[in-house]
Amino acid sequence: MDQQQQQSAIQGAKVLMVGAGGIGCELLKTLALSGFHDIHIIDMDTIEVSNLNRQFLFRRSHVGQSKAKVARDAVLRFRPHINIRSYHANVKNPEFDVDFFKQFDVVLNGLDNLDARRHVNRLCLAADVPLVESGTTGFLGQVTVHVKGKTECYECQTKPTPKTYPVCTITSTPTKFVHCIVWAKELLFAKLFGDKNQDNDLNVRANKAASASKETEDVFERAEDEDIEQYSRKIYDHVFGYNIEAALSNEETWKNRRRPRPIYSKDVLPESLTQKNGSTQNCSAASDDDSATVSAMPLLGLKNPQELWGLTQNSLVFIEALKLFFAKRKKEIGHLTFDKDDQLAVEFVTAAANIRAESFGIPLHSLFEAKGIAGNIVHAVATTNAIVAGLIVIEAIKVLKKDADKYRMTYCLEHPSRKMLLMPVEPFEPNPSCYVCSKTPLVLEINTQKSKLRDLVDKIVKAKLGMNLPLIMHGASLLYEVGDDLDDIMVANYNANLEKSLSELPSPVINGSILTVEDLQQELSCKINVKHREEFDEEKEPEGMVLSGWTQSPATNGESASTSNNESAVDVTESSSGPEIASKKRKLSETQPENHKRETENVESEDDDDLVEIENPMTVSKKKRVA
Amino acid sequence: MDGEELTEQETALYDRQIRVWGANAQRRLTKSHILVSGIKGTVAEFCKNIVLAGVGSVTLMDDSLVNEEALNANFLIPPDENAYRGKTVAEICCDSLKDFNPMVLVSVEKGDLSARSTEFFEKFDVVVIGYGSLATKKAVNEKCRKLSKRVAFYTVDCRDSCGEIFVDLQDYKYTKKKLEEKVECELNFPSFQEAVSVPWKPIPRRTAKLYFAMRVIEVFEENEGRKHGECSLLDLPTVLEIKKKLCEANSVSESLVPDSLLERLISGTIEFPPACAIVGGILAQEVIKAVSGKGEPLKNFFYYDAQDGKGVMEDISNSFTS
């Protein structure tokens, strides 16, 4: 009997869940109800208030605790006799190696970022364990099945990687609000409150007179006893007034572009703000420890985060927020990175972005909207996650029964397509030129004389190839590797290599060289054929290098959202991806991958900035289906 | 819930979903009152979803006592016999649901749904009947339609790994996003009575077989006086006989309703938890759309079958005959 076969497949199964968030909570619940009783679950996050609208296993009292652990406890309450093992850890940790993955019959992902998905994909391939992938955004969702040798792996079809913007767009010629956000967040905020040792492009100007740059550096430094309000207005005038005037002086830039207008505080705000609401230094309510509650909005009588502020209000918020950072959170200055849950930071970035937008004639946005963009917030509801969780369990059961004919990719649509709200599609065979599961060599076009090994490691090996702990070899020469067991001499050697251009390496990498890049944990090895190229287009190729060599599967035609009249399948992958400045220079040596926070933006519904790649399942005829 | 604006607490809690449907929709949700009758796995999922969404109130009706069978597919009932002995399903689920969102008023209403007067339903914006009998579904739908206030009406039924949702929003106006603009649209929904008595012959062949199968099951349960799930394979001959009669009366071939499907529906008396999550999720989305007035609603049936993996909308009304 089919039922009995199903039950025994379920009861004998050992399942790994990666992610205990939106999808994870729903999935763990449905697995438990369906009779699964040996479940392991990995999640590195802790619970936040904004999770509670959909991650129903958590309560307000759990905020700050481990998601994996609390999810486990909650499910045990209605299914006390099942075995759930929780890991409060990053799935990329070395403890989760191929042997770890091999103990499972199926792996179920409920992740929210591309990096981790790719990592798990590779481990599943290495361990030969089937993977059921999933993703949701708002009302859209999908579930896909990946079985080595039988179907595509998760990376057979390229997924959209975070959008990058050329430096000049951010520093000089913004045209969209997101450009202003990136400027406010990664340049201004970072300059004022972040690590002083970081390179910062804030003052990139047309003519980079050496003497001028020294002066501008001093503007951002606040003298010991400099009046906070005066300092704030000085900054305001510098970035929104002086810098704009300097940019305007370069006629070439503005030949075919709308000219920005300089904005000075005296034209927007009254003489002095201290009379208006009392000196911030004497503010009685908050003490220096209350950094979480310090906020400019209430002091200015602004209550509604969805309200659109005008130039004056944005300017008031800008000044007030800046003042509050110095008055109440002085100790943190120099160490801050933007955090979407840091109210004051969000207020500051919103105001700064809006003033810049005003200057460049770009529509302003509310704090609510700005926070979403700056914080990469993915809109999410419980229902889509619940539906997707149900679909995941159904596929998992098929996998356990080895019912290969029945495997389906299922798309959850917002509007019916051919009457279907849930659309199943047969999976495709593996892409023969997928570099992950089919070992195709890649081609890298790069300026071997100018580009450094560090650029190759950051932009290609880690970002594009998704390797976590890479190893780079040129012939027999080991150019770079990461590991705990390296001695100081080796580490120093590798660090030195990072700063060299490719052609200057101990084993010079030039046109025609072949590199081998590996990640031992992911058991992935790739060959890269290097081709030297002198020039790269700053707008179209902002990275200064181009990686190619694997063929796009024909099913992916990259239609944009606006063209499809009925919603085709949506590849929903990212929450923490988004645009970033193309070239980020870091003076400090690379931190551990887990702590390496990539600054990214979430772009929502702005025409060609759509992050989602639409796949049209209707054009599947050319590809071979799994029999 | 006081005044027009969402409170700070609501804004913080509902942030992620406000980014999906907007603050106005959220405000309307917090003012809505939902009546739910008949609680098993799928309806438990539905209740969880709408409580999380932040509706104003949820009134639960299910006087059946909690037993081991009720625990199946229902994560709202902790399996502690000492705790649930003597309590009704509605009572236990009420306590669990309150936990999910303290801002939602969850309460229990005792008694028989079909015995309620028309005025009773006026308190609600949405009525959901889970696993109801044909008679009850008809009667309640008629009462809802009699009211001057528009009460959205839904039925839901899950058997084996299949599910059916029925939607009646009467004459419904809503806004839809077309390209960059907001467009005003209107739909006219047939009543439950009309929707289940549509002659079979003119219905397009590609229509989900579940529609017909469910109508056969409805007649069977009414004839035999059975409740949802009170059946087994032993009843198959009776069910097939009913199918035969219905097909003859409608002048359609018996192949329209596969025997294998009917077999599944009467032998799969327990719900399949993944199907509960899916159908419960779709139903909640529909209710949220109807309350917020935003987004195109499902008209007027939804069918899910885990065997083919499709979730389809079917528009079934007397318009086929005209």
Side-chain angles (χ1 to χ4, degrees):
Chain A
M1 269 253 30
D2 196 39
Q3 273 287 8
Q4 283 168 350
Q5 192 199 11
Q6 180 161 304
Q7 275 313 304
S8 72
I10 290 172
Q11 268 153 29
K14 190 164 179 174
V15 173
L16 175 65
M17 279 181 53
V18 188
I23 294 175
C25 284
E26 295 285 344
L27 182 56
L28 189 59
K29 168 259 301 166
T30 303
L31 283 171
L33 290 177
S34 300
F36 286 84
H37 57 184
D38 191 354
I39 306 168
H40 293 231
I41 178 163
I42 303 174
D43 194 307
M44 60 189 255
D45 281 341
T46 54
I47 298 160
E48 296 175 18
V49 169
S50 63
N51 299 148
L52 303 178
N53 81 318
R54 63 203 182 283
Q55 299 173 26
F56 72 98
L57 298 176
F58 311 143
R59 303 283 169 267
R60 204 166 275 271
S61 56
H62 294 133
V63 171
Q65 295 181 36
S66 151
K67 286 190 180 184
K69 184 178 177 303
V70 176
R72 170 185 179 273
D73 293 343
V75 169
L76 285 175
R77 246 173 263 130
F78 60 87
R79 283 296 181 270
H81 304 299
I82 68 180
N83 178 37
I84 306 177
R85 171 98 193 262
S86 66
Y87 304 83
H88 182 195
N90 188 334
V91 71
K92 288 186 186 175
N93 283 357
E95 69 179 289
F96 305 121
D97 58 9
V98 177
D99 286 330
F100 175 82
F101 274 76
K102 273 192 178 143
Q103 51 176 319
F104 300 102
D105 299 296
V106 68
V107 175
L108 311 176
N109 271 356
L111 289 164
D112 63 0
N113 69 91
L114 185 62
D115 244 14
R117 285 179 157 111
R118 293 168 78 184
H119 185 86
V120 172
N121 178 51
R122 291 160 187 201
L123 277 148
C124 287
L125 287 168
D128 203 358
V129 178
L131 169 66
V132 181
E133 250 292 352
S134 66
T136 64
T137 302
F139 291 125
L140 304 172
Q142 70 184 40
V143 173
T144 55
V145 181
H146 307 278
V147 180
K148 182 176 183 176
K150 279 209 84 65
T151 73
E152 286 187 329
C153 82
Y154 179 71
E155 295 178 81
C156 277
Q157 290 187 25
T158 47
K159 302 290 186 283
T161 45
K163 184 147 183 152
T164 54
Y165 295 114
V167 178
C168 52
T169 306
I170 303 300
T171 58
S172 318
T173 53
T175 51
K176 297 184 181 174
F177 187 68
V178 62
H179 302 155
C180 302
I181 288 281
V182 176
W183 175 89
K185 196 178 111 167
E186 298 189 29
L187 295 183
L188 187 60
F189 184 90
K191 183 79 183 171
L192 284 167
F193 309 116
D195 188 349
K196 303 269 187 267
N197 287 327
Q198 296 278 357
D199 280 352
N200 193 299
D201 294 318
L202 189 62
N203 290 312
V204 166
R205 295 207 316 270
N207 48 343
K208 299 176 191 182
S211 54
S213 64
K214 222 191 171 185
E215 284 168 24
T216 53
E217 285 315 306
D218 293 338
V219 168
F220 286 92
E221 279 300 314
R222 177 178 160 251
E224 253 312 307
D225 53 354
E226 186 175 357
D227 175 55
I228 294 179
E229 168 148 354
Q230 212 174 319
Y231 170 76
S232 304
R233 294 180 88 124
K234 184 178 73 175
I235 298 296
Y236 184 108
D237 290 336
H238 183 81
V239 297
F240 300 122
Y242 177 64
N243 271 0
I244 301 294
E245 295 212 33
L248 282 169
S249 68
N250 184 357
E251 283 294 323
E252 263 308 302
T253 315
W254 310 109
K255 233 177 169 177
N256 298 316
R257 290 191 178 97
R258 182 202 160 122
R259 288 177 146 71
R261 68 170 177 110
I263 303 176
Y264 289 95
S265 57
K266 63 172 166 55
D267 303 321
V268 182
L269 302 171
E271 261 302 307
S272 167
L273 295 171
T274 46
Q275 290 135 2
K276 201 165 186 252
N277 53 14
S279 168
T280 327
Q281 273 114 325
N282 298 334
C283 199
S284 52
S287 70
D288 221 52
D289 307 82
D290 270 350
S291 67
T293 53
V294 172
S295 167
M297 279 171 67
L299 298 174
L300 297 166
L302 297 170
K303 290 197 188 133
N304 186 358
Q306 305 228 340
E307 192 187 346
L308 208 59
W309 305 329
L311 176 62
T312 311
Q313 284 168 319
N314 276 300
S315 303
L316 286 168
V317 173
F318 180 92
I319 301 285
E320 197 59 44
L322 225 160
K323 282 160 70 178
L324 283 170
F325 267 114
F326 278 93
K328 299 285 165 194
R329 296 173 60 176
K330 197 149 174 233
K331 291 189 197 128
E332 297 175 66
I333 295 176
H335 315 289
L336 280 169
T337 46
F338 178 82
D339 180 350
K340 69 182 188 303
D341 297 311
D342 181 345
Q343 177 65 16
L344 195 60
V346 172
E347 289 171 355
F348 177 79
V349 166
T350 301
N354 273 331
I355 300 166
R356 185 169 176 81
E358 176 77 25
S359 177
F360 282 84
I362 298 168
L364 274 55
H365 286 60
S366 68
L367 181 107
F368 180 78
E369 292 165 328
K371 178 178 171 180
I373 299 170
N376 270 332
I377 296 177
V378 175
H379 41 300
V381 295
T383 51
T384 322
N385 289 335
I387 293 165
V388 160
L391 295 169
I392 294 171
V393 175
I394 288 170
E395 290 307 313
I397 293 172
K398 292 177 197 171
V399 161
L400 293 168
K401 285 162 72 179
K402 298 197 166 40
D403 228 338
D405 292 342
K406 299 264 171 68
Y407 298 160
R408 294 290 179 270
M409 324 278 256
T410 310
Y411 299 93
C412 186
L413 311 172
E414 191 175 348
H415 306 294
S417 166
R418 292 182 289 148
K419 297 197 298 180
M420 286 184 279
L421 277 174
L422 298 176
M423 181 190 285
V425 172
E426 284 178 49
F428 301 119
E429 285 186 358
N431 180 357
S433 59
C434 171
Y435 72 89
V436 178
C437 69
S438 304
K439 315 283 184 214
T440 303
L442 299 164
V443 174
L444 177 66
E445 290 169 86
I446 191 169
N447 188 320
T448 55
Q449 282 150 7
K450 290 201 185 135
S451 296
K452 296 184 190 165
L453 183 62
R454 172 183 293 290
D455 301 325
L456 182 86
V457 170
D458 288 347
K459 292 180 192 172
I460 300 297
V461 182
K462 288 190 175 167
K464 284 250 159 33
L465 298 182
M467 291 189 182
N468 202 19
L469 303 169
L471 189 142
I472 304 177
M473 298 190 64
H474 180 207
S477 172
L478 196 55
L479 297 175
Y480 180 76
E481 68 177 313
V482 186
D484 293 326
D485 52 348
L486 304 174
D487 63 50
D488 292 337
I489 300 173
M490 289 169 87
V491 172
N493 200 26
Y494 294 140
N495 284 340
N497 281 352
L498 284 177
E499 301 312 317
K500 296 191 175 129
S501 72
L502 298 179
S503 54
E504 287 172 349
L505 287 165
S507 174
V509 174
I510 53 174
N511 188 54
S513 295
I514 300 179
L515 294 174
T516 303
V517 294
E518 288 182 356
D519 184 315
L520 295 176
Q521 187 190 6
Q522 296 172 356
E523 292 199 1
L524 179 62
S525 177
C526 296
K527 291 229 176 307
I528 302 181
N529 296 316
V530 177
K531 281 202 167 83
H532 173 82
R533 203 171 109 191
E534 278 293 322
E535 297 289 327
F536 289 88
D537 186 320
E538 217 196 292
E539 293 272 340
K540 289 184 200 143
E541 300 162 328
E543 312 251 272
M545 55 190 80
V546 178
L547 187 71
S548 57
W550 66 96
T551 329
Q552 284 271 59
S553 318
T556 313
N557 52 21
E559 283 174 24
S560 82
S562 50
T563 58
S564 44
N565 50 3
N566 36 12
E567 210 120 74
S568 322
V570 169
D571 190 11
V572 184
T573 53
E574 280 298 274
S575 81
S576 53
S577 75
E580 51 179 21
I581 302 180
S583 47
K584 291 209 77 165
K585 293 164 265 183
R586 289 192 189 278
K587 273 190 184 170
L588 304 172
S589 58
E590 210 71 51
T591 53
Q592 278 289 46
E594 298 87 60
N595 301 332
H596 174 75
K597 246 184 150 172
R598 184 183 294 153
E599 264 120 5
T600 50
E601 314 301 338
N602 183 25
V603 190
E604 296 176 8
S605 66
E606 282 193 24
D607 35 86
D608 55 4
D609 285 340
D610 261 9
L611 209 56
V612 227
E613 179 182 285
I614 310 288
E615 299 172 77
N616 189 340
M618 269 73 87
T619 60
V620 298
S621 50
K622 294 191 190 133
K623 262 243 137 177
K624 274 198 278 175
R625 311 283 201 109
V626 174
Chain B
M1 281 185 280
D2 296 306
E4 284 305 310
E5 298 282 337
L6 291 169
T7 66
E8 209 176 299
Q9 203 183 18
E10 286 169 336
T11 313
L13 177 63
Y14 300 136
D15 182 271
R16 298 298 184 266
Q17 63 201 42
I18 290 173
R19 291 177 191 279
V20 178
W21 52 61
N24 285 331
Q26 188 62 51
R27 270 188 281 271
R28 275 181 230 121
L29 275 170
T30 55
K31 296 196 187 113
S32 62
H33 304 287
I34 323 288
L35 174 68
V36 182
S37 157
I39 305 171
K40 292 197 205 186
T42 307
V43 172
E45 285 278 345
F46 165 74
C47 290
K48 175 250 303 165
N49 292 333
I50 58 167
V51 166
L52 289 173
V55 295
S57 76
V58 179
T59 307
L60 303 171
M61 286 183 80
D62 192 320
D63 289 343
S64 49
L65 290 174
V66 177
N67 54 25
E68 243 194 78
E69 203 191 304
L71 293 171
N72 173 65
N74 190 336
F75 61 94
L76 297 177
I77 307 179
D80 178 5
E81 221 184 311
N82 293 320
Y84 70 64
R85 196 180 296 118
K87 296 248 172 80
T88 67
V89 168
E91 282 167 344
I92 298 285
C93 291
C94 180
D95 291 335
S96 301
L97 285 168
K98 279 181 180 162
D99 241 7
F100 293 147
N101 189 346
M103 290 195 255
V104 178
L105 201 65
V106 189
S107 62
V108 173
E109 181 81 28
K110 283 188 183 283
D112 185 4
L113 180 69
S114 51
R116 295 301 164 125
S117 65
T118 308
E119 287 70 45
F120 169 74
F121 296 100
E122 197 157 22
K123 287 184 279 183
F124 306 101
D125 302 291
V126 176
V127 169
V128 176
I129 301 182
Y131 323 96
S133 69
L134 184 59
T136 304
K137 292 191 279 195
K138 274 188 197 165
V140 175
N141 181 242
E142 265 161 42
K143 286 172 186 165
C144 290
R145 286 187 144 245
K146 276 207 195 109
L147 294 167
S148 52
K149 167 189 185 184
R150 202 268 316 286
V151 175
F153 177 87
Y154 299 84
T155 71
V156 65
D157 199 310
C158 255
R159 292 158 197 266
D160 191 67
S161 52
C162 302
E164 172 188 74
I165 295 174
F166 167 77
V167 182
D168 178 11
L169 301 179
Q170 300 173 45
D171 295 323
Y172 184 74
K173 290 193 181 68
Y174 65 100
T175 57
K176 192 165 76 170
K177 239 209 275 190
K178 208 161 191 168
L179 301 172
E180 285 307 310
E181 289 181 348
K182 279 218 177 96
V183 182
E184 284 274 327
C185 308
E186 184 171 342
L187 288 173
N188 304 110
F189 286 75
S191 69
F192 179 80
Q193 166 71 42
E194 182 192 326
V196 300
S197 347
V198 171
W200 289 5
K201 202 163 167 74
I203 296 179
R205 284 296 146 257
R206 288 166 284 109
T207 300
K209 304 260 181 258
L210 267 169
Y211 170 78
F212 306 104
M214 288 302 295
R215 306 287 79 76
V216 172
I217 301 285
E218 258 167 9
V219 170
F220 162 75
E221 282 180 348
E222 185 168 66
N223 288 359
E224 306 291 315
R226 305 278 186 92
K227 284 199 220 159
H228 172 272
E230 265 181 8
C231 53
S232 73
L233 266 176
L234 297 170
D235 296 308
L236 188 59
T238 319
V239 172
L240 291 178
E241 191 54 41
I242 292 172
K243 165 193 147 166
K244 185 158 173 257
K245 289 212 180 96
L246 277 170
C247 290
E248 273 170 19
N250 280 284
S251 312
V252 293
S253 153
E254 281 189 52
S255 63
L256 181 67
V257 197
D259 286 0
S260 56
L261 181 58
L262 287 168
E263 208 179 308
R264 272 176 69 199
L265 294 176
I266 59 165
S267 53
T269 52
I270 57 168
E271 289 170 297
F272 184 47
C276 297
I278 291 165
V279 178
I282 297 280
L283 179 61
Q285 260 166 221
E286 287 307 307
V287 168
I288 288 168
K289 273 192 252 178
V291 166
S292 64
K294 203 173 174 194
E296 182 158 359
L298 215 150
K299 179 173 180 270
N300 55 343
F301 285 94
F302 172 82
Y303 291 103
Y304 178 71
D305 186 346
Q307 259 194 22
D308 67 12
K310 289 188 190 162
V312 297
M313 183 182 90
E314 294 289 0
D315 189 350
I316 298 175
S317 66
N318 279 330
S319 60
F320 292 132
T321 48
S322 54

